[in-house]
Amino acid sequence: MSEIGLGATLLQFLASGLVIGMIYGLAAIAYTTIFNVTGVINFAQGDMATIPALTAITLYDRGWGQGPALLGAMALGGAIAAGIERVVVAPLAGSVIRTTVATIGVGIVLQGTAVLVFGTEARTLPSPLGGGTVALLGIALPLQAGVIFGATVVLVFLLGALFQMTYLGRAFRACAMNPYAAGLSGIDVGAMRTLAFVLSGFVAAVIGVLVAPLTLMQYDTGIAIGIKGFVACIIGGLGNPLGAIAGGLLLGVLESYATWIVGSGYKSAISLSLLIGFLLLRPGGLLGALERLPR
């Protein structure tokens, strides 16, 4: 392989890794949003993206525009998240471990619901920019990559502004630092917990809609998204929003190059190896965890 050909190949896999890494980063942010307020790791997060995505595809097939279909999916994602918090998380709020384990069961229920409502057929959603590609620096990128990049930037900016510049964000951060003291100061910790789940539901719906034009969506697609999002959290630092994006990008790039070098069958092994390595050698992640641990 010539040097020019090798350079183009390296850039192609780098770009592909960055695109999928943004998806992982958004999934990690959804984990972080809940963890920073409740201390709970929601292992149903990936499955929460599946039903809104399949709903958006169904609405689009029935004549809805992509914008209204996305809004409908986000509304459903928020409603599902709020229902999970009220029905499962709130009654178990006194035990973080029991609540975290319960979310695994919630994920299984969501998968079964998706099978009952949408069946097992794999479906896709057209990209708002079309299904073509664009040439950039000698590499080909799907037009959907631009949508993913723009959505990631907007979501990170909005969530950053929410957490840093608003009263609601300060209330979230107070609950993260010391929920007991936050309650004594007049903050409704239960309401903050519900809002955190609703926000994560919105993000999960956006993730599902972003992924749908790149791959076939079916009832169990969210499992992989959820696992990779959790690994990205650990890599970047559990509870750190910027670390979530950094961890997602790193994981996406490493998986992309692993696909090129050793084959796609080893992607999961790469992810789990990184998870174990960071837990053993650098549990705080790349940028440091926020140390939001339940007491």
Side-chain angles (χ1 to χ4, degrees), residues 5 41 57-58 71 90 93 103 129 165 174-175 187 191 211 221 227 231 268 284:
I41 299 172
I57 294 171
T58 301
L71 293 177
T103 62
L129 298 181
M165 301 172 62
C175 293
I187 296 173
V211 170
T221 304
I227 293 174
V231 175
S268 296

Side-chain angles (χ1 to χ4, degrees), residues 48 51-56 70-82 118 201-202 205:
M48 286 168 57
I51 293 180
L54 292 172
T55 299
L70 171 60
L71 293 177
M74 290 181 66
L76 179 60
I80 291 173
F118 302 103
F202 289 160

Side-chain angles (χ1 to χ4, degrees), residues 141-164:
L141 286 173
L143 292 175
Q144 181 66 11
V147 179
I148 293 173
F149 176 78
T152 301
V153 171
V154 170
L155 278 175
V156 170
F157 173 79
L158 291 177
L159 289 174
L162 171 67
F163 282 107
Q164 298 295 329

